[in-house]
Amino acid sequence: MKAVARILSGAVLCAAIVPVASMAAGNHSGINQREHNQQARINQGVRSGELTRHEATNLEQKEAKIKVNERYDKMNGKFTPAERAHLQKELNGASRDIYRDKHNNSVH
């Protein structure tokens, strides 16, 4: 009976810890996934002709700056919620810029 109680309590403990750990890892991978997706959108815009070379260069520079900021934020081994929010805000702005440049109806 004690063995069954130990197994059940261990299972409950694991069920409580695993989602919290995956959420923490998910925040980092969420930023990385957004960076990857935005890079793919820029590449697709260049291939389709929706982005000029100049527009793509500007967007690439913004993406590079975001990556530098991310590395800087993570240098001390801590990635605070405030730092994460700031990166998300930068990614939101870059995403808007990608959309705007791809849909500005300029002749390429």
Side-chain angles (χ1 to χ4, degrees), residues 1 9 13 17 26-27 30 41 49 67 69-70 76 80-81 85 91 102 104 108:
M1 194 65 170
S9 65
L13 182 61
I17 291 174
N27 288 331
R41 288 172 57 208
K67 286 183 186 230
N69 290 344
E70 179 184 12
N76 66 356
T80 66
L91 286 165
K102 285 179 74 174
N104 63 5
H108 302 294

Side-chain angles (χ1 to χ4, degrees), residues 57-70:
T57 299
N58 286 340
L59 294 169
E60 294 281 356
Q61 288 173 348
K62 289 176 187 176
E63 291 293 320
K65 183 178 182 280
I66 292 170
K67 286 183 186 230
V68 167
N69 290 344
E70 179 184 12

Side-chain angles (χ1 to χ4, degrees), residues 6-81:
R6 279 190 194 157
I7 291 172
L8 287 175
S9 65
V12 168
L13 182 61
C14 285
I17 291 174
V18 170
V20 171
S22 67
M23 282 180 8
N27 288 331
H28 296 288
S29 65
I31 288 173
N32 293 336
Q33 186 63 49
R34 284 192 69 189
E35 289 171 339
H36 175 76
N37 291 346
Q38 289 181 191
Q39 185 62 52
R41 288 172 57 208
I42 293 169
N43 293 339
Q44 183 278 328
V46 170
R47 282 192 309 274
S48 70
E50 292 174 301
L51 292 174
T52 65
R53 188 175 297 187
H54 179 71
E55 289 170 334
T57 299
N58 286 340
L59 294 169
E60 294 281 356
Q61 288 173 348
K62 289 176 187 176
E63 291 293 320
K65 183 178 182 280
I66 292 170
K67 286 183 186 230
V68 167
N69 290 344
E70 179 184 12
R71 271 185 296 217
Y72 181 78
D73 288 344
K74 292 179 178 179
M75 272 182 15
N76 66 356
K78 296 178 185 175
F79 191 48
T80 66

